[in-house]
Amino acid sequence: MTLISPGKRNTQEDQRGISTMALSVWNYCVPLAIIIAACLVNTARCQAVQAENVTVLEGGTAQISCRLQNYDGSIVVIQNPRRQTLFFNGTRALKDDRFQMVLFTQRLVRITLTNVSVSDEGGYFCQLYTDATHHQVATLSVSVPPETPTVEVKQEAVEGGEAELTCVSPRSKPATTLRWMHNGREIPGVVSQQDNGKTFSVSSTIRIPVERKDNGAALNCEAIHPALSGQKRVRHYRLDVYFAPTVRIVSPTGILREGDSLSLTCSITGNPLPRDILWSKINDTLPERAEISGPTLQISRLSQSHNGTYLCQAQNNFGRAADHYTLLVYENVSVTTMAPTTSPIQPTSTPTSHFLDPKDPGAVVETHSAVPYAVIGGVLALLVFTVICVLIVTIWCSVRQKGSYLTHEASGLDEHGEVQEAFLNGNDASQGKKEYLL
């Protein structure tokens, strides 16, 4: 036994392969060289046929041409990929009206195939029967452009969760390219491809987190294919995000009094939008005059018996919401002007104003301007003070003027009488006199 190293074994295999290739080339080239040489020697008798490959869109029309060289009237046969004869020297051999012979000359034979399908793909044989049979194969390729893709919802989009969407192109050849787009930006997807024989089905799946604000977002699935000549087949899709409702009562502004009318509107959002809206009154029933029209509650001729808290509720499959409104009806208050009390000086006019108490919007407070009364009071006080002062001065003066007042002569007589009386009485005149002044 002789052992051969791996390096020597590879060398021997390479040499054997080269020898085999050289033999094949020799077997192919030598007959071809002989035919070419024969044609060059006798061009009048050398005939040949050539075929052209064709690519056509599915549903279109294909033209299959066979070019002849030095044709001398030999038999020309055209066969389909299943080797069934379509035409024999221009005569129809297969009953298929889709095939038509449109041209048969010494240089060109042409047939057409309408409404092409992928089942028509393959090699069409152009055969020229002379001393030696010559044939060429025209390969027909059918391209299948994709239809507009479809979008399948694999998982519903719920607020706070994820949406799973799949874009599907069920049939194309070659396989189409799918791309998800949102606001001009591509969303990466998971692509899968399935071979259906001669066509392909392609799908692209995306999973995206969603919130309430994403409801109605525009997504596009684009199909790109060579047969579309740079165009795109686009499927537009609006994202549908489900979320619980929100409720808000729209109420009138201002103060409501007895006899007024009340209109409350329940503004609701949600997906899906709740169909049933429930109006109620907490711890009581709705008033008899209450009318409900869709989301609106109306009460005519309000009274204080209508006071209370009114509730609007809405619900869908994803939650419930409510809002309340507290009604406070005020009693009607008649506004009157009070006449001022009698005073010595009556003002010509007294301005009166009315305002609402901020602590109690229903109470009307009547006020009179204090400026005229202050002036009148000051004048009266001044007059009273003046009168009092005059009285005090008058009384003081009258008190000072009471008593007896004597002239100088009367005063002398009094002194002389007093001396005389003292002498008679034996009193000493030296005691003097006493003077009393009042």
Side-chain angles (χ1 to χ4, degrees):
M1 179 180 296
T2 303
L3 299 177
I4 302 175
S5 64
K8 292 182 180 181
R9 184 182 298 112
N10 294 337
T11 302
Q12 292 179 359
E13 291 178 356
D14 294 340
Q15 292 176 354
R16 188 180 300 110
I18 293 173
S19 300
T20 304
M21 183 181 299
L23 182 60
S24 299
V25 172
W26 175 264
N27 292 335
Y28 176 77
C29 293
V30 170
L32 182 60
I34 294 174
I35 294 174
I36 294 174
C39 290
L40 292 175
V41 172
N42 189 5
T43 56
R45 299 182 58 187
C46 182
Q47 301 181 81
V49 62
Q50 295 179 346
E52 300 176 355
N53 295 332
V54 180
T55 300
V56 66
L57 294 179
E58 185 180 41
T61 299
Q63 293 184 349
I64 301 173
S65 301
C66 300
R67 297 186 180 276
L68 304 176
Q69 294 180 356
N70 302 322
Y71 179 67
D72 60 359
S74 300
I75 298 174
V76 178
V77 176
I78 301 178
Q79 296 179 330
N80 63 16
R82 292 181 292 276
R83 302 309 297 266
Q84 296 171 329
T85 300
L86 299 175
F87 292 93
F88 185 88
N89 264 5
T91 303
R92 182 190 300 275
L94 184 66
K95 293 182 179 180
D96 190 342
D97 294 337
R98 295 186 306 149
F99 291 95
Q100 297 290 331
M101 177 67 71
V102 296
L103 189 63
F104 192 101
T105 67
Q106 291 184 349
R107 292 187 178 183
L108 181 64
V109 177
R110 177 174 293 168
I111 66 173
T112 59
L113 171 60
T114 59
N115 196 18
V116 177
S117 66
V118 292
S119 61
D120 297 321
E121 275 192 330
Y124 287 78
F125 293 84
C126 296
Q127 295 184 347
L128 179 61
Y129 288 92
T130 59
D131 295 339
T133 302
H134 304 283
H135 72 272
Q136 285 288 325
V137 178
T139 302
L140 174 62
S141 300
V142 180
S143 180
V144 181
E147 298 293 332
T148 301
T150 60
V151 174
E152 300 176 357
V153 180
K154 299 296 183 179
Q155 179 177 330
E156 290 184 341
V158 180
E159 181 183 17
E162 284 187 333
E164 182 177 352
L165 306 174
T166 299
C167 181
V168 180
S169 176
R171 188 172 179 269
S172 62
K173 181 179 179 296
T176 189
T177 300
L178 296 178
R179 184 173 62 177
W180 281 100
M181 301 294 294
H182 174 56
N183 292 336
R185 298 177 58 185
E186 182 176 359
I187 303 176
V190 179
V191 179
S192 61
Q193 178 176 309
Q194 182 178 352
D195 187 352
N196 299 326
K198 292 187 176 183
T199 61
F200 301 89
S201 63
V202 183
S203 64
S204 177
T205 302
I206 58 173
R207 293 179 64 92
I208 53 175
V210 292
E211 297 295 338
R212 180 175 305 197
K213 61 182 178 62
D214 298 319
N215 186 42
L219 299 176
N220 296 332
C221 179
E222 301 176 348
I224 304 171
H225 194 271
L228 297 178
S229 302
Q231 300 297 319
K232 300 175 183 177
R233 299 281 173 83
V234 182
R235 172 64 67 183
H236 302 283
Y237 179 79
R238 289 283 180 181
L239 192 61
D240 200 12
V241 180
Y242 297 103
F243 55 89
T246 59
V247 175
R248 183 175 65 89
I249 295 179
V250 180
S251 59
T253 58
I255 298 173
L256 294 174
R257 299 188 180 279
E258 292 181 328
D260 292 344
S261 296
L262 172 66
S263 179
L264 302 177
T265 300
C266 196
S267 177
I268 301 175
T269 62
N271 189 23
L273 192 65
R275 295 183 179 180
D276 297 329
I277 300 174
L278 179 61
W279 281 99
S280 61
K281 185 177 182 183
I282 296 179
N283 298 327
D284 201 351
T285 58
L286 290 175
E288 295 181 357
R289 290 197 291 267
E291 296 181 359
I292 299 176
S293 176
T296 303
L297 172 67
Q298 293 182 338
I299 304 176
S300 60
R301 292 177 313 202
L302 290 174
S303 66
Q304 291 189 345
S305 64
H306 297 151
N307 289 345
T309 301
Y310 292 81
L311 192 67
C312 175
Q313 302 179 73
Q315 179 180 1
N316 62 12
N317 295 334
F318 300 92
R320 172 185 298 179
D323 192 17
H324 67 275
Y325 170 79
T326 301
L327 174 63
L328 183 59
V329 180
Y330 289 96
E331 165 181 25
N332 279 328
V333 178
S334 58
V335 179
T336 58
T337 303
M338 302 299 294
T341 57
T342 304
S343 60
I345 301 178
Q346 179 68 30
T348 57
S349 64
T350 303
T352 304
S353 62
H354 304 276
F355 66 93
L356 298 179
D357 189 348
K359 297 182 180 180
D360 185 4
V364 178
V365 180
E366 182 180 7
T367 61
H368 301 277
S369 177
V371 176
Y373 288 108
V375 174
I376 294 172
V379 173
L380 292 177
L382 181 60
L383 292 176
V384 171
F385 178 75
T386 303
V387 171
I388 293 174
C389 291
V390 171
L391 292 176
I392 292 174
V393 171
T394 302
I395 295 172
W396 182 77
C397 292
S398 63
V399 170
R400 287 277 300 188
Q401 293 176 357
K402 286 184 178 181
S404 299
Y405 296 89
L406 300 177
T407 60
H408 294 287
E409 292 80 0
S411 176
L413 292 177
D414 289 341
E415 292 178 356
H416 181 74
E418 291 178 354
V419 171
Q420 186 178 358
E421 184 180 357
F423 178 78
L424 294 178
N425 294 329
N427 292 332
D428 190 1
S430 61
Q431 293 180 352
K433 67 176 179 179
K434 295 182 181 178
E435 186 177 1
Y436 299 91
L437 296 179
L438 293 178

